[in-house]
Amino acid sequence: MNKNWRWLPAGIVPVVIVTATVSGSAIAQAQPQLPAKTAQELLEFVATSTDDAYSGTVEQSSDLGLPDLSMATPPGGTSSSDPTSTALELLTADHTAQVYVDGPDQASVQVLDQLAQRDVVVTQDDVWFYDSSTNEATHAVLPDRDAAKAELEATLQQKAAEYPELQNVPRTPAELAAMFLAEVDPTTEVTVDGTSRVAGRSAYELLLTPEDTATLIGSIAVAVDSETGVPLSVTVQAKGQEDPAFQAGFSAVDFSTPDAALFAFTPPADATVTEAPTAEEAKARMEAKDEPAAAGEPVVLGEGWSAIVELPAGTAGKLGVTPGSGETAGMSDIMDIKPGMDPQEVAGAQALLDQALTPVDGGNALQTSLVSVLITDDGRILAGAVGVDQLVTAAQR
């Protein structure tokens, strides 16, 4: 299935990203009475939305069948010095965040921990990440957007010249919505599943139900604000699981423009600040690592909801993952431990991750209710919304 949503208005993209990463169960109320819309009409409504400034409280809840890493970390969350532990904790624990968005270039997210706060501030020029529990900040300079846009447009023009069919790409929201429905139709049922109330606002429920028996995903429901067309919540249901595997949504939302001061971040004077490498520097570091070079390009096996992505041999080493010998790997075996990481925090994350990893034929696997990942002994990485047995079969093809 083609799940490419690049045609969404730029101002809507931040809320989709935020609600998919740091948000959760929205407050549902009595179903409102709204004018009927077809699935295509609702997609057109989302595509033509011009509301790109808003703020609100978003919440996240997950039930992926993984241990809750927040139980093994000190109050205030995990240390920003341990990125793997932090990422896993965000996936397995519930979270509340304050979100502020003003157009496609400014966003601020404040993840509220038990006794601390994590901040992400994005502007047109840079990104700041700050963890108050450790008083550590990371700063990254973004590439020049005008230059990147010009390069992208030049590439598209070149491809259009090579492939004339690209010149007939749909332009209007109606054409795009029709194309989306036509492409997903063979593997997905797309319907408008009634209405709901999210954060006190009336919404349409867009429901995507995979017809692929091999996928772990049962359905994806998106609540679309009836006045603005902005997605307000996302609920992902796993097959064979009564409770949602993942929920993301606003519990309160305001469509007025946030104060500009919310997007100006200055770390505390005594904070430890780390400058993240630029894209060019990161690429050079990856190439300089003393690991086997990845041979070949990523391959997509199959199609639709049960497609499997395979990264070539050597990829695991490039990512700091050391191929094992069929036995469950510890944290030190699957990530590149860097100076400054708290050994106790790494050990805590290792213990829980060891419980989640399972030795399988040819490597080690991580199974959740929605996605599986296989790290093979020869350094390949396979992932997909399918069971581990399907990844093992794909790896042995």
Side-chain angles (χ1 to χ4, degrees), residues 60 62 64 66-70 87-95:
Q60 170 193 315
S62 304
L64 300 177
L66 292 173
D68 186 347
L69 279 178
S70 67
L88 289 173
E89 186 263 344
L90 283 171
L91 284 175
T92 60
D94 295 348
H95 294 282

Side-chain angles (χ1 to χ4, degrees), residues 306-327:
S306 58
I308 296 172
V309 177
E310 179 182 2
L311 303 180
T315 299
K318 286 290 185 180
L319 297 177
V321 179
T322 303
S325 58
E327 297 181 358

Side-chain angles (χ1 to χ4, degrees), residues 16-384:
V16 176
I17 295 175
V18 168
T19 56
T21 54
V22 296
S23 51
S25 57
I27 297 177
Q29 301 161 12
Q31 293 184 340
Q33 298 297 315
L34 297 172
K37 284 185 182 291
T38 65
Q40 179 166 340
E41 289 172 338
L42 188 54
L43 288 171
E44 291 177 36
F45 183 41
V46 174
T48 55
S49 174
T50 58
D51 285 89
D52 60 358
Y54 44 82
S55 60
T57 302
V58 289
E59 301 172 357
Q60 170 193 315
S61 64
S62 304
D63 186 4
L64 300 177
L66 292 173
D68 186 347
L69 279 178
S70 67
M71 300 297 292
T73 57
T78 59
S79 171
S80 58
S81 67
D82 180 359
T84 299
S85 178
T86 298
L88 289 173
E89 186 263 344
L90 283 171
L91 284 175
T92 60
D94 295 348
H95 294 282
T96 299
Q98 294 298 128
V99 177
Y100 306 91
V101 175
D102 186 5
D105 296 330
Q106 295 194 112
S108 175
V109 180
Q110 302 169 354
V111 182
L112 309 177
D113 295 320
Q114 184 178 3
L115 296 175
Q117 178 174 306
R118 281 172 280 181
D119 297 88
V120 179
V121 179
V122 181
T123 68
Q124 184 173 0
D125 301 318
D126 55 10
V127 177
W128 280 97
F129 172 78
Y130 176 69
D131 187 343
S132 68
S133 67
T134 59
N135 199 24
E136 297 173 348
T138 301
H139 176 243
V141 177
L142 296 176
D144 183 274
R145 296 196 179 188
D146 291 337
K149 182 178 179 181
E151 181 179 354
L152 176 60
E153 290 178 348
T155 301
L156 290 176
Q157 291 178 2
Q158 178 183 354
K159 293 299 181 182
E162 296 177 9
Y163 306 96
E165 61 271 20
L166 293 179
Q167 299 176 6
N168 298 320
V169 173
R171 300 295 181 184
T172 67
E175 291 175 329
L176 289 165
M179 180 187 70
F180 175 82
L181 290 174
E183 290 191 4
V184 305
D185 181 64
T187 59
T188 311
E189 180 183 8
V190 184
T191 59
V192 178
D193 189 32
T195 63
S196 64
R197 288 194 181 277
V198 179
R201 299 181 65 87
S202 59
Y204 291 95
E205 290 286 336
L206 182 67
L207 183 66
L208 286 74
T209 305
E211 298 179 340
D212 187 338
T213 58
T215 184
L216 299 173
I217 299 174
S219 65
I220 298 178
V222 182
V224 178
D225 187 87
S226 64
E227 295 182 20
T228 67
V230 172
L232 297 177
S233 72
V234 177
T235 301
V236 184
Q237 203 78 34
K239 289 182 178 178
Q241 181 172 305
E242 182 176 354
D243 295 330
F246 185 85
Q247 286 186 307
F250 284 102
S251 58
V253 63
D254 179 358
F255 284 95
S256 60
T257 302
D259 189 335
L262 292 166
F263 308 107
F265 180 81
T266 301
D270 59 344
T272 300
V273 178
T274 301
E275 288 292 334
T278 64
E280 292 77 11
E281 292 171 341
K283 181 179 179 181
R285 290 184 184 182
M286 291 287 285
E287 293 175 348
K289 289 191 70 172
D290 186 19
E291 297 287 353
E297 299 292 331
V299 176
V300 178
L301 308 173
E303 59 184 14
W305 294 90
S306 58
I308 296 172
V309 177
E310 179 182 2
L311 303 180
T315 299
K318 286 290 185 180
L319 297 177
V321 179
T322 303
S325 58
E327 297 181 358
T328 303
M331 181 70 78
S332 60
D333 296 318
I334 68 161
M335 67 174 288
D336 187 11
I337 304 293
K338 296 179 174 57
M341 291 185 179
D342 188 324
Q344 291 184 343
E345 290 183 353
V346 172
Q350 174 183 332
L352 288 176
L353 193 58
D354 284 349
Q355 297 176 26
L357 286 170
T358 303
V360 296
D361 187 13
N364 294 281
L366 176 67
Q367 170 85 64
T368 77
S369 59
L370 292 179
V371 67
S372 302
V373 180
L374 170 65
I375 303 171
T376 66
D377 293 337
D378 62 2
R380 288 175 293 152
I381 297 178
L382 291 86

